[in-house]
Amino acid sequence: PKWEALVPLIQGGLAMLLRQATLNVAFVSAARRAQGMDASGVAGAAYGITMQIYSLGVVAQLGVQGTAAALVPSARAIGGDDAARNVADRIFGWGMILGVLLALVQWTILPVVTPLFSPLEEIREAVKGPARISSIIHLVNGLVFAGEGTMLGLGSFRDLALITAMGVAVMVGCLASPLGGSLNGVLISLAAFNFVQGVAVTIHHVRVSPLRRRGFALLSGRKNNK
């Protein structure tokens, strides 16, 4: 292949590597913050259990991400931007519905699921607050994973990396503040990360991406004047 054809692939690959490295830094920082809270290890164990429970819902949301990454570019190739926009909008909608369902299910089954991870009452009590916060995070994850999948399908790797870096900066800032001094605060920091991600990918879909609405197109006024 010619160099001109390889450049976009290399740039996209580097952007995604940077994004993954940024995510690793954020979540390692959160884990270290939780593990260093007490010498008994209760906070660290509670954080690990919380993330295991939370990850069960994330697996379902990854399906939304993969669906968007596959269907949006396919619809665009067949029916153009309008068809791809309709598909992306539906995936955003289904992602939000799935997020609500996951939040309700996780919140409801916590009393049943938590004892399965530890026989120690102290750890079970420590899990309650963070696990409830993580269930609320699922509400915004519907937007996050649908938006990320759409951006992956459109090849908007650089924009996705920048959005991720912005969310990670907010999360690390929260962890470095007094908020990061408690286990609930660590999960709130994660919630802040997901909230920034959700808002950013939604704005990108509506106003910045190739599938943006014509009425929202950047510089549309200038184009109309030409």
Side-chain angles (χ1 to χ4, degrees), residues 122-155:
E122 188 177 5
I123 293 178
R124 293 181 185 179
E125 287 297 320
V127 169
K128 287 183 179 179
R132 286 170 180 162
I133 295 172
S134 70
S135 67
I136 296 173
I137 296 175
H138 285 306
L139 295 174
V140 73
N141 276 352
L143 295 174
V144 173
F145 286 96
E148 288 182 349
T150 299
M151 293 178 72
L152 289 172
L154 295 173

Side-chain angles (χ1 to χ4, degrees), residues 35-203:
Q35 292 169 357
M37 283 183 184
D38 59 63
S40 66
V42 170
Y47 177 79
I49 292 172
T50 298
M51 295 309 292
Q52 289 180 58
I53 296 172
Y54 170 70
S55 295
L56 295 176
V58 171
V59 170
Q61 293 286 9
L62 285 172
V64 174
Q65 185 188 75
T67 300
L71 293 185
V72 170
S74 177
R76 193 183 187 197
I78 296 173
D81 287 348
D82 289 340
R85 185 185 305 112
N86 290 334
V87 170
D89 288 346
R90 287 198 294 271
I91 293 174
F92 266 85
W94 282 111
M96 292 176 63
I97 292 172
L98 179 60
V100 172
L101 291 176
L102 288 172
L104 291 175
V105 169
Q106 180 173 318
W107 187 287
T108 303
I109 68 173
L110 280 178
V112 178
V113 172
T114 303
L116 300 177
F117 289 90
S118 176
L120 301 178
E121 187 63 29
E122 188 177 5
I123 293 178
R124 293 181 185 179
E125 287 297 320
V127 169
K128 287 183 179 179
R132 286 170 180 162
I133 295 172
S134 70
S135 67
I136 296 173
I137 296 175
H138 285 306
L139 295 174
V140 73
N141 276 352
L143 295 174
V144 173
F145 286 96
E148 288 182 349
T150 299
M151 293 178 72
L152 289 172
L154 295 173
S156 302
F157 305 120
R158 184 191 63 180
D159 291 350
L160 181 55
L162 290 174
I163 288 173
T164 301
M166 182 170 59
V168 167
V170 172
M171 179 177 175
V172 172
C174 291
L175 289 172
S177 72
L179 186 64
S182 68
L183 198 53
N184 285 344
V186 172
L187 268 294
I188 292 173
S189 300
L190 177 60
F193 164 76
N194 283 271
F195 178 78
V196 170
Q197 290 275 99
V199 171
V201 297
T202 303
I203 292 175

